[in-house]
Amino acid sequence: MMKIAVLIKQVPGSESPLSIADSNVWLDEEKVAYIMNESDNYALEEALLLKEGTQDCEVVVVSLGPERVKKIIREGLAKGADRGMHLNINSNDVTDPLSIAKIFADALKSENFDLILSGLQSDDLGHGQTGIIIGELLKMSTGSLAVSTKLDGDQIAIKQEMEAGFFQNVRMSLPASITIQSGLNTPRYPSLKGIMGAKKKEIKTLDIDSSDQKLKISKLYLPSSSNEITMIDGSPDQIVENLVKVFKSEIKI
Amino acid sequence: MNILVVLEDNNGAIHRMSLEAIVAAQKISSKLKSEITVLAMGRNAEALALEASKYELNEILKINSSSLYSYSSDGYATAIEQIILEQDFKYVFFGHTYQVRDYVPKISAKLMRPFLADNIKMSISSGSIEFTKQTFNAKLLADIQTSDSGLYLVSFQSASFSSDNLKPGYSKIKKIDITIDETQIKNTYDEPFQESAGGVDLTSADIIVSVGRGIGEADNISIAKDLALALGGQLSSSRPVVDAGWLSPDHQVGSSGQSVSPKLYLALGISGAIQHVVGMKGSKNIVAINKDPEAPIFEIANYGIVGDIFEIVPKLIESLK
């Protein structure tokens, strides 16, 4: 059987208020509206598509965090994942990607997944490396920024996004851990049947102790706008006249 | 507090973001007397090392290994791991390129040392250096402590430092041999390709006229094209314009497109999402025209016009003729 893990993270939605807690190192979580991280949602859809194209395939959604993250695990189950794993950690301050990857690697090791998919980066801290570190710790092949995936026997081929509009086809043996770029598919919405069915699916909880960390946020704060901008206003004709002056005498083109 | 800077190859020249990482290392060196070593590897190691020898550095290491002629994440991670294990570095600096995102996490796992990615600033004090990164889609900043005594892998966002500030010097090149176990290279890579033929090279343009979602529809692209022509510049765009199919992907500026630093970047109807801004904030002069006075593009522009591009641009073309 082909076993695919999808690592999903619960993060503040793009419209969520972000008020900083009194500690100045994290958010006041009471006020946050959480969603499934955008690129993780695409990774989940990619796993479900692979499952649909493969005989005998299981998709497991895995999330690390406090009790609240069960919401996105259930969302994953409602969309079609077969079971969930909740790596239950009380503390919110494990923000070090290496420590986080170690927790995942330890928890996933005995499952022997053929494929681990995750979003290329989280929309909260954006370290963009956890999936690759997990793959390396588990001695898997790794690939990043996939904009398409194709299973081929005991191998997977991905199209990897590169800089400056370039792409590269990369082929690797399973087991592999691959990070997924947003936009490569159209994530589905859970059906009513899916939502009902999800209630019967298993969510295994593993309690995690806070580990030691080598990186810590010492301060979280709003950027101060130090930009000095010269506004050019007036009627369209005046704007154009002044803009041409700026081009000639200030920017010197 | 010795620093290693890893050079990325950009068709035989040092990648601009690697040069910016050297600037960061030189800043630390001037305050704390750190020694800077740079590492050149890959097919063009010789050319990269020669280019680096013009800058003020303590040493340039050049790896000769045919196993590194073409990129592989396993090969690169293994090579750099070996260099790190042989010498006593406190920091290893990289530009936060796509390639770095692909292989540096593997070094982090091999050494069990943290990779502090995509920083935009640092503050230097005698004990340690504090790095600052954007979080929550650039809505908040986070200062990150690097408090223990071991090594840290650190990458910097494009244009966090300016390569104009590179200190010239004369540095010696040392050849080193390393052995890579090729059976450890798990992936096979085809040649990189572009989706559309022709390819617009924006990176060397002095003047760029760039369009965003505010251009409205495909037919309106022509006024931006005419303006680029009148200014003698290139036309580019943000991602939504490419996603809509109004311009080919090689026009795209931003994190998944090209990074540019022209003398003039004229942004037409571009809101200024972070994914776009990382690709153009190194421009010498940014002029933004947008209907929305709250558009984030005005937070980084040098000159701002709140107005309708369809009213202003035709008049501007007329007056430039």
Side-chain angles (χ1 to χ4, degrees), chain A residues 64-156:
Chain A
L64 170 76
E67 191 63 23
R68 61 172 162 80
V69 308
K70 274 194 175 157
K71 185 163 178 264
I72 57 164
I73 296 177
R74 281 195 207 96
E75 188 184 328
L77 297 176
K79 287 182 176 190
D82 299 289
R83 60 187 170 94
M85 288 174 71
H86 174 208
L87 312 185
N88 184 28
I89 192 160
N90 268 322
S91 143
N92 288 313
D93 68 8
V94 181
T95 53
D96 167 7
L98 186 57
S99 305
I100 289 171
K102 183 84 173 39
I103 292 171
F104 273 99
D106 289 343
L108 301 181
K109 193 164 196 242
S110 62
E111 292 269 357
N112 292 312
F113 285 107
D114 300 289
L115 187 60
I116 298 176
L117 298 184
S118 53
L120 78 131
Q121 69 179 32
S122 60
D123 294 333
D124 52 2
L125 297 175
H127 290 295
Q129 51 187 275
T130 312
I132 306 281
I133 298 180
I134 293 167
E136 185 70 22
L137 291 174
L138 294 175
K139 311 218 177 306
M140 302 168 104
S141 314
T142 65
S144 64
L145 280 145
V147 293
S148 78
T149 69
K150 190 167 182 284
L151 280 171
D152 181 10
D154 61 353
Q155 295 208 318
I156 184 163

XYZ file of all heavy atoms in Angstrom, chain A residues 64-156:
690
model
N 0.921 19.569 14.115
C 1.526 19.807 15.428
C 0.919 21.076 16.020
O 0.822 22.093 15.332
C 3.043 19.990 15.264
C 3.833 20.486 16.480
C 4.028 19.380 17.508
C 5.205 21.025 16.068
N 0.537 21.001 17.284
C 0.032 22.202 17.944
C -0.894 21.837 19.082
O -1.107 20.656 19.361
N -1.472 22.867 19.725
C -2.409 22.613 20.819
C -3.743 22.063 20.288
O -3.919 21.880 19.087
C -2.577 23.985 21.470
C -2.200 24.971 20.429
C -1.212 24.294 19.536
N -4.673 21.840 21.176
C -5.977 21.247 20.860
C -6.642 21.861 19.613
O -7.254 21.173 18.806
C -6.873 21.406 22.098
C -8.181 20.633 22.078
C -8.021 19.110 22.032
O -6.957 18.597 22.440
O -8.967 18.444 21.568
N -6.481 23.192 19.457
C -7.167 23.893 18.360
C -6.857 23.338 16.963
O -7.649 23.477 16.045
C -6.860 25.395 18.403
C -5.397 25.749 18.255
C -5.175 27.259 18.111
N -3.803 27.657 18.378
C -2.790 27.564 17.525
N -2.989 27.068 16.314
N -1.580 27.962 17.860
N -5.674 22.719 16.787
C -5.296 22.285 15.432
C -6.121 21.090 14.958
O -6.096 20.737 13.784
C -3.783 21.973 15.286
C -2.942 23.138 15.783
C -3.384 20.692 15.992
N -6.882 20.476 15.891
C -7.753 19.364 15.477
C -8.763 19.825 14.434
O -9.246 19.022 13.630
C -8.486 18.792 16.691
C -7.678 17.737 17.416
C -8.563 16.978 18.368
C -7.810 15.843 19.024
N -8.427 15.457 20.289
N -9.063 21.127 14.451
C -10.024 21.666 13.487
C -9.549 21.432 12.046
O -10.332 20.994 11.194
C -10.230 23.168 13.752
C -11.273 23.797 12.894
C -11.731 25.148 13.454
C -12.756 25.784 12.543
N -12.166 26.744 11.604
N -8.275 21.710 11.769
C -7.804 21.510 10.388
C -7.573 20.035 10.086
O -7.657 19.613 8.935
C -6.546 22.356 10.041
C -5.379 22.066 10.989
C -6.877 23.841 10.013
C -4.044 22.575 10.451
N -7.288 19.236 11.123
C -7.176 17.786 10.894
C -8.546 17.257 10.439
O -8.651 16.526 9.454
C -6.694 17.049 12.166
C -5.270 17.507 12.529
C -6.724 15.527 11.956
C -4.722 16.910 13.814
N -9.604 17.700 11.131
C -10.965 17.267 10.743
C -11.316 17.766 9.340
O -11.950 17.068 8.561
C -11.999 17.784 11.757
C -12.016 16.937 12.995
C -13.253 17.189 13.859
N -12.912 16.869 15.234
C -12.515 17.755 16.131
N -12.458 19.040 15.816
N -12.190 17.378 17.338
N -10.859 18.978 9.037
C -11.100 19.531 7.697
C -10.433 18.636 6.638
O -11.036 18.333 5.592
C -10.532 20.952 7.643
C -10.861 21.730 6.383
C -10.160 23.105 6.377
O -9.958 23.701 7.471
O -9.813 23.563 5.275
N -9.212 18.188 6.929
C -8.493 17.293 6.016
C -9.220 15.967 5.853
O -9.327 15.442 4.738
N -9.738 15.443 6.962
C -10.481 14.177 6.911
C -11.764 14.351 6.102
O -12.150 13.481 5.327
C -10.808 13.693 8.334
C -9.595 13.354 9.216
C -10.053 12.987 10.631
C -8.765 12.222 8.616
N -12.420 15.510 6.279
C -13.666 15.772 5.561
C -13.426 15.876 4.052
O -14.281 15.539 3.243
C -14.308 17.050 6.078
N -12.230 16.323 3.688
C -11.914 16.436 2.256
C -11.531 15.095 1.653
O -11.443 14.966 0.442
C -10.761 17.419 2.048
C -11.176 18.864 2.254
C -10.008 19.781 1.974
C -10.432 21.233 2.085
N -9.385 22.121 1.588
N -11.215 14.118 2.489
C -10.927 12.799 1.933
C -9.725 12.082 2.491
O -9.442 10.951 2.070
N -8.982 12.704 3.423
C -7.865 11.981 4.047
C -8.433 10.825 4.860
O -9.576 10.889 5.327
C -7.043 12.917 4.927
N -7.635 9.740 5.021
C -8.154 8.533 5.659
C -8.078 8.569 7.179
O -8.937 8.041 7.857
C -7.388 7.311 5.137
C -7.570 7.173 3.640
O -8.677 6.820 3.222
O -6.626 7.484 2.879
N -7.005 9.171 7.692
C -6.913 9.299 9.152
C -6.018 10.477 9.505
O -5.360 11.055 8.623
C -6.422 8.006 9.802
C -5.072 7.544 9.349
C -4.748 6.140 9.922
N -3.553 5.622 9.292
C -2.308 5.767 9.806
N -2.124 6.376 10.960
N -1.268 5.280 9.154
N -6.027 10.825 10.803
C -5.270 11.996 11.234
C -4.321 11.664 12.366
O -4.525 10.694 13.105
N -3.261 12.457 12.469
C -2.364 12.374 13.621
C -2.230 13.762 14.204
O -1.903 14.721 13.499
C -0.972 11.862 13.190
C -0.939 10.383 12.836
S 0.683 9.902 12.159
C 1.716 9.983 13.626
N -2.487 13.865 15.497
C -2.346 15.153 16.184
C -1.139 15.069 17.110
O -1.150 14.305 18.078
C -3.633 15.452 16.972
C -3.510 16.678 17.824
N -4.220 16.865 18.982
C -2.747 17.789 17.682
C -3.893 18.026 19.525
N -3.006 18.594 18.748
N -0.096 15.832 16.794
C 1.076 15.895 17.672
C 0.789 17.011 18.665
O 0.940 18.197 18.378
C 2.347 16.153 16.857
C 2.526 15.266 15.607
C 3.870 15.526 14.948
C 2.367 13.788 15.954
N 0.333 16.602 19.820
C -0.249 17.527 20.788
C 0.835 18.170 21.651
O 1.553 17.502 22.376
C -1.230 16.728 21.667
C -1.953 17.615 22.649
O -2.156 18.798 22.390
N -2.340 17.045 23.787
N 0.921 19.480 21.528
C 1.919 20.211 22.308
C 1.202 21.391 22.935
O 0.444 22.102 22.280
C 3.100 20.618 21.394
C 4.272 21.124 22.206
C 2.714 21.605 20.328
C 5.587 21.064 21.443
N 1.401 21.583 24.210
C 0.673 22.648 24.899
C 1.222 24.022 24.590
O 0.502 24.976 24.417
C 0.719 22.425 26.416
C -0.484 21.620 26.854
O -1.574 21.828 26.320
N -0.283 20.700 27.773
N 2.532 24.051 24.528
C 3.172 25.347 24.420
C 3.068 25.882 22.987
O 3.079 25.131 22.025
C 4.618 25.169 24.846
O 5.439 25.953 24.065
N 2.956 27.189 22.868
C 2.929 27.810 21.545
C 4.298 28.273 21.106
O 4.445 28.845 20.047
C 2.001 29.024 21.556
C 0.569 28.594 21.634
O 0.148 27.715 20.908
N -0.173 29.189 22.549
N 5.289 28.089 21.980
C 6.547 28.770 21.662
C 7.600 27.877 21.010
O 8.754 28.244 20.965
C 7.097 29.525 22.867
C 7.574 28.602 23.975
O 7.621 27.366 23.747
O 7.890 29.105 25.042
N 7.187 26.717 20.505
C 8.170 25.958 19.721
C 8.134 26.511 18.299
O 7.259 26.213 17.513
C 7.892 24.444 19.727
C 8.952 23.709 18.920
C 7.875 23.928 21.145
N 9.076 27.389 18.021
C 9.068 28.088 16.732
C 10.318 27.758 15.924
O 10.533 28.306 14.868
C 9.005 29.608 16.951
O 10.058 29.975 17.841
C 7.676 30.017 17.550
N 11.145 26.885 16.449
C 12.412 26.558 15.814
C 12.188 25.408 14.824
O 11.800 24.318 15.222
C 13.373 26.170 16.951
C 14.638 25.508 16.464
O 14.853 25.449 15.236
O 15.401 25.045 17.315
N 12.393 25.647 13.531
C 12.058 24.622 12.538
C 12.813 23.300 12.732
O 12.274 22.244 12.438
C 12.423 25.260 11.198
C 13.106 26.520 11.499
C 12.872 26.882 12.919
N 14.046 23.377 13.227
C 14.802 22.143 13.425
C 14.168 21.303 14.540
O 14.006 20.081 14.400
C 16.268 22.481 13.748
C 17.249 21.320 13.858
C 17.279 20.484 12.591
C 18.654 21.846 14.171
N 13.768 21.953 15.646
C 13.098 21.231 16.739
C 11.767 20.667 16.269
O 11.408 19.535 16.599
C 12.846 22.157 17.927
O 14.029 22.765 18.343
N 11.040 21.471 15.483
C 9.736 21.029 14.976
C 9.913 19.818 14.050
O 9.194 18.821 14.161
C 9.026 22.195 14.245
C 8.574 23.241 15.270
C 7.829 21.688 13.425
C 8.059 24.530 14.668
N 10.919 19.903 13.176
C 11.163 18.800 12.235
C 11.543 17.524 12.983
O 11.130 16.426 12.614
C 12.270 19.187 11.252
N 12.314 17.686 14.056
C 12.731 16.529 14.870
C 11.493 15.861 15.486
O 11.388 14.623 15.491
C 13.691 17.043 15.956
C 14.288 16.003 16.858
C 15.517 15.379 16.209
C 16.278 14.435 17.140
N 15.483 13.596 17.998
N 10.559 16.664 15.980
C 9.318 16.132 16.567
C 8.557 15.330 15.508
O 8.117 14.205 15.749
C 8.438 17.280 17.121
C 9.106 17.939 18.330
C 7.039 16.761 17.490
C 8.428 19.213 18.809
N 8.411 15.911 14.301
C 7.702 15.213 13.215
C 8.429 13.925 12.832
O 7.804 12.876 12.680
C 7.580 16.117 11.981
C 6.375 17.016 11.996
C 6.475 18.341 12.382
C 5.130 16.529 11.616
C 5.366 19.167 12.393
C 4.013 17.349 11.623
C 4.131 18.675 12.013
N 9.750 14.024 12.669
C 10.512 12.855 12.214
C 10.350 11.711 13.216
O 10.126 10.559 12.830
C 11.983 13.222 12.023
N 10.433 12.028 14.505
C 10.282 10.989 15.542
C 8.886 10.362 15.480
O 8.734 9.153 15.613
C 10.532 11.576 16.938
C 11.995 11.919 17.158
O 12.841 11.419 16.377
O 12.302 12.697 18.096
N 7.878 11.227 15.278
C 6.502 10.726 15.289
C 6.161 9.921 14.030
O 5.342 9.009 14.074
C 5.536 11.900 15.437
N 6.799 10.267 12.896
C 6.429 9.643 11.619
C 7.259 8.404 11.293
O 6.878 7.598 10.444
C 6.586 10.657 10.465
C 5.754 11.936 10.564
C 6.002 12.813 9.342
C 4.262 11.626 10.695
N 8.398 8.281 11.986
C 9.383 7.246 11.632
C 8.745 5.857 11.503
O 8.880 5.186 10.479
C 10.479 7.226 12.690
C 11.681 6.419 12.268
C 12.872 6.743 13.145
C 14.088 6.227 12.430
N 14.877 5.283 12.943
N 8.023 5.436 12.527
C 7.521 4.060 12.554
C 6.394 3.830 11.545
O 6.025 2.700 11.255
C 7.032 3.726 13.966
O 5.968 4.589 14.287
N 5.851 4.912 10.987
C 4.776 4.788 10.001
C 5.293 4.390 8.622
O 4.535 3.935 7.766
C 4.006 6.107 9.871
C 3.181 6.478 11.107
C 1.760 5.921 11.009
O 1.424 5.316 9.969
O 0.998 6.091 11.971
N 6.593 4.619 8.395
C 7.212 4.299 7.095
C 6.422 4.834 5.896
O 6.031 4.085 5.004
C 7.388 2.784 6.943
C 8.427 2.249 7.901
O 9.519 2.810 7.992
N 8.086 1.220 8.654
N 6.206 6.131 5.878
C 5.497 6.752 4.744
C 6.339 6.674 3.474
O 7.558 6.798 3.517
C 5.176 8.214 5.057
C 4.036 8.371 6.020
C 4.269 8.764 7.335
C 2.741 8.107 5.613
C 3.218 8.906 8.230
C 1.678 8.248 6.510
C 1.910 8.647 7.810
N 5.675 6.456 2.343
C 6.360 6.475 1.053
C 6.584 7.904 0.582
O 7.530 8.206 -0.133
C 5.516 5.743 -0.003
C 5.272 4.304 0.395
O 6.234 3.525 0.359
O 4.125 3.974 0.777
N 5.654 8.754 0.981
C 5.698 10.127 0.493
C 5.209 11.065 1.601
O 4.203 10.781 2.259
C 4.785 10.244 -0.741
C 4.786 11.553 -1.524
C 6.179 11.864 -2.070
C 3.785 11.475 -2.691
N 5.960 12.151 1.815
C 5.505 13.195 2.735
C 5.369 14.472 1.913
O 6.317 14.887 1.239
C 6.515 13.417 3.881
C 6.671 12.150 4.727
C 6.070 14.583 4.760
C 7.731 12.256 5.826
N 4.183 15.068 1.935
C 3.975 16.345 1.246
C 3.703 17.423 2.287
O 3.030 17.177 3.293
C 2.782 16.263 0.285
C 2.852 15.274 -0.876
C 1.611 15.421 -1.769
C 4.117 15.473 -1.704
N 4.235 18.617 2.043
C 3.928 19.750 2.906
C 3.967 21.003 2.052
O 4.552 21.010 0.976
C 4.948 19.836 4.046
O 6.263 19.839 3.546
N 3.351 22.075 2.529
C 3.410 23.351 1.821
C 4.828 23.892 1.862
O 5.602 23.544 2.752
N 5.199 24.721 0.884
C 6.593 25.167 0.831
C 6.977 26.049 1.996
O 8.117 26.058 2.416
C 6.886 25.886 -0.493
C 6.401 27.320 -0.614
C 7.530 28.190 -1.131
C 5.240 27.403 -1.555
N 6.024 26.801 2.537
C 6.321 27.548 3.761
C 5.037 27.927 4.470
O 3.972 27.949 3.871
C 7.195 28.771 3.498
C 6.534 29.885 2.725
C 7.482 31.076 2.546
O 8.691 30.916 2.444
N 6.933 32.260 2.516
N 5.170 28.215 5.765
C 3.987 28.595 6.531
C 3.799 30.099 6.449
O 4.763 30.859 6.350
C 4.142 28.158 7.983
O 5.273 28.789 8.553
N 2.537 30.509 6.492
C 2.256 31.938 6.375
C 2.407 32.663 7.714
O 2.113 33.843 7.805
C 0.842 32.143 5.820
C 0.745 31.635 4.384
O 1.779 31.633 3.694
O -0.352 31.225 3.962
N 2.844 31.942 8.764
C 3.107 32.666 10.023
C 4.596 33.026 10.134
O 4.980 34.170 9.974
C 2.580 31.893 11.255
C 3.046 30.446 11.327
O 3.811 30.001 10.455
O 2.635 29.754 12.283
N 5.442 32.019 10.359
C 6.859 32.342 10.536
C 7.663 32.217 9.249
O 8.710 32.838 9.094
C 7.468 31.474 11.639
C 6.826 31.718 13.009
C 7.383 30.754 14.042
C 7.045 33.150 13.464
N 7.186 31.390 8.330
C 7.798 31.358 7.000
C 9.245 30.910 6.953
O 10.017 31.427 6.156
N 9.628 29.952 7.796
C 11.009 29.457 7.719
C 11.247 28.642 6.440
O 12.369 28.568 5.965
C 11.343 28.599 8.935
C 11.444 29.384 10.206
N 12.416 30.331 10.406
C 10.697 29.375 11.339
C 12.269 30.867 11.611
N 11.224 30.309 12.197
N 10.196 27.983 5.936
C 10.283 27.307 4.636
C 11.294 26.178 4.551
O 12.033 26.092 3.564
N 11.396 25.345 5.533
C 12.429 24.307 5.521
C 12.015 23.029 6.225
O 12.712 22.007 6.099
C 13.688 24.855 6.211
C 13.379 25.467 7.580
C 14.581 26.174 8.205
O 15.389 25.550 8.836
N 14.667 27.465 8.009
N 10.921 23.047 6.982
C 10.580 21.921 7.852
C 10.445 20.608 7.070
O 10.983 19.582 7.483
C 9.284 22.229 8.629
O 9.413 23.547 9.177
C 9.066 21.245 9.758
N 9.745 20.636 5.936
C 9.524 19.416 5.149
C 10.823 18.791 4.668
O 10.971 17.570 4.649
N 11.764 19.626 4.257
C 13.057 19.126 3.761
C 13.871 18.533 4.913
O 14.486 17.468 4.776
C 13.878 20.273 3.103
C 13.067 20.980 2.034
C 15.199 19.740 2.556
C 12.985 20.284 0.733
N 13.873 19.212 6.061
C 14.647 18.690 7.204
C 14.089 17.331 7.623
O 14.847 16.390 7.873
C 14.622 19.671 8.405
C 15.254 21.000 8.023
C 15.383 19.074 9.595
C 15.274 22.036 9.139
N 12.752 17.220 7.673
C 12.137 15.943 8.057
C 12.588 14.845 7.095
O 12.991 13.760 7.512
C 10.593 16.055 8.055
C 10.138 17.008 9.160
C 9.943 14.688 8.238
C 8.671 17.424 9.053
N 12.551 15.135 5.799
C 12.981 14.162 4.800
C 14.416 13.726 5.028
O 14.744 12.540 4.991
N 15.275 14.688 5.286
C 16.700 14.376 5.500
C 16.878 13.549 6.778
O 17.642 12.579 6.801
C 17.491 15.697 5.562
C 18.990 15.541 5.664
C 19.641 15.016 4.396
O 19.046 15.150 3.312
O 20.753 14.445 4.510
N 16.161 13.922 7.842
C 16.276 13.172 9.107
C 15.815 11.727 8.926
O 16.336 10.822 9.565
C 15.456 13.849 10.219
C 15.961 15.203 10.729
C 14.968 15.802 11.724
C 17.340 15.068 11.383
N 14.827 11.530 8.042
C 14.303 10.176 7.811
C 14.996 9.481 6.631
O 14.550 8.444 6.169
C 12.787 10.230 7.583
C 11.952 10.689 8.798
C 10.482 10.833 8.422
C 12.102 9.720 9.964
N 16.093 10.108 6.154
C 16.891 9.559 5.054
C 16.061 9.326 3.780
O 16.262 8.352 3.043
C 17.598 8.258 5.475
C 18.325 8.383 6.807
C 19.637 7.628 6.807
C 20.424 7.808 8.104
N 20.652 9.244 8.442
N 15.127 10.221 3.521
C 14.308 10.154 2.308
C 14.939 11.042 1.230
O 15.767 11.895 1.537
C 12.896 10.673 2.610
C 12.172 9.922 3.718
S 10.678 10.806 4.234
C 9.418 9.835 3.449
N 14.492 10.880 -0.025
C 14.811 11.862 -1.058
C 14.034 13.132 -0.718
O 12.991 13.058 -0.073
C 14.339 11.390 -2.435
O 14.689 10.057 -2.675
N 14.532 14.292 -1.178
C 13.775 15.520 -0.935
C 13.671 16.348 -2.208
O 14.557 16.303 -3.068
C 14.429 16.409 0.153
O 15.695 16.861 -0.315
C 14.590 15.664 1.468
N 12.583 17.082 -2.312
C 12.395 18.008 -3.427
C 11.623 19.208 -2.924
O 10.821 19.088 -1.992
N 11.856 20.371 -3.526
C 11.190 21.572 -3.019
C 10.446 22.283 -4.138
O 10.735 22.086 -5.322
C 12.203 22.515 -2.383
O 13.114 22.966 -3.337
N 9.490 23.119 -3.756
C 8.795 24.013 -4.680
C 8.215 23.290 -5.887
O 8.361 23.732 -7.022
C 9.746 25.108 -5.148
C 9.923 26.244 -4.155
C 11.330 26.780 -4.200
C 8.949 27.365 -4.468
N 7.555 22.161 -5.623
C 6.976 21.395 -6.725
C 5.741 22.095 -7.273
O 4.864 22.515 -6.517
C 6.606 19.992 -6.247
N 5.677 22.236 -8.597
C 4.478 22.775 -9.246
C 3.731 21.688 -10.019
O 2.679 21.942 -10.597
C 4.785 23.979 -10.163
C 5.249 25.170 -9.336
C 5.833 23.640 -11.215
N 4.294 20.462 -10.031
C 3.528 19.296 -10.456
C 4.215 18.050 -9.911
O 5.416 18.081 -9.607
C 3.386 19.215 -11.984
O 4.568 18.721 -12.562
N 3.443 16.979 -9.709
C 4.029 15.727 -9.217
C 3.463 14.587 -10.049
O 2.333 14.646 -10.520
C 3.657 15.453 -7.743
O 2.259 15.161 -7.670
C 3.970 16.620 -6.834
N 4.275 13.527 -10.228
C 3.797 12.367 -10.957
C 4.459 11.120 -10.388
O 5.684 11.011 -10.373
C 4.148 12.505 -12.445
C 3.490 11.473 -13.332
C 3.631 11.884 -14.794
C 2.947 10.898 -15.709
N 3.716 9.655 -15.867
N 3.621 10.218 -9.879
C 4.145 8.956 -9.345
C 4.420 8.008 -10.495
O 3.650 7.942 -11.456
C 3.135 8.325 -8.392
C 3.070 8.880 -6.970
C 1.878 8.307 -6.243
C 4.362 8.606 -6.211
N 5.536 7.284 -10.398
C 5.898 6.360 -11.467
C 6.592 5.171 -10.799
O 7.802 5.182 -10.586
C 6.833 7.100 -12.435
C 7.254 6.213 -13.595
O 6.682 5.117 -13.750
O 8.166 6.625 -14.328
N 5.813 4.167 -10.433
C 6.371 3.001 -9.745
C 6.946 3.396 -8.396
O 6.267 4.028 -7.597
N 8.228 3.073 -8.176
C 8.839 3.445 -6.894
C 9.589 4.775 -6.997
O 10.464 5.067 -6.213
C 9.767 2.328 -6.405
C 10.915 2.074 -7.381
O 10.895 2.670 -8.488
O 11.822 1.303 -7.034
N 9.195 5.575 -7.996
C 9.813 6.890 -8.165
C 8.747 7.977 -8.234
O 7.574 7.695 -8.488
C 10.610 6.934 -9.474
C 11.808 5.984 -9.476
C 12.898 6.495 -10.383
O 12.624 6.979 -11.470
N 14.138 6.401 -9.925
N 9.181 9.217 -8.002
C 8.276 10.344 -8.223
C 9.027 11.402 -9.029
O 10.219 11.634 -8.798
C 7.711 10.902 -6.898
C 6.682 12.011 -7.171
C 8.814 11.415 -5.972
C 5.786 12.335 -5.984
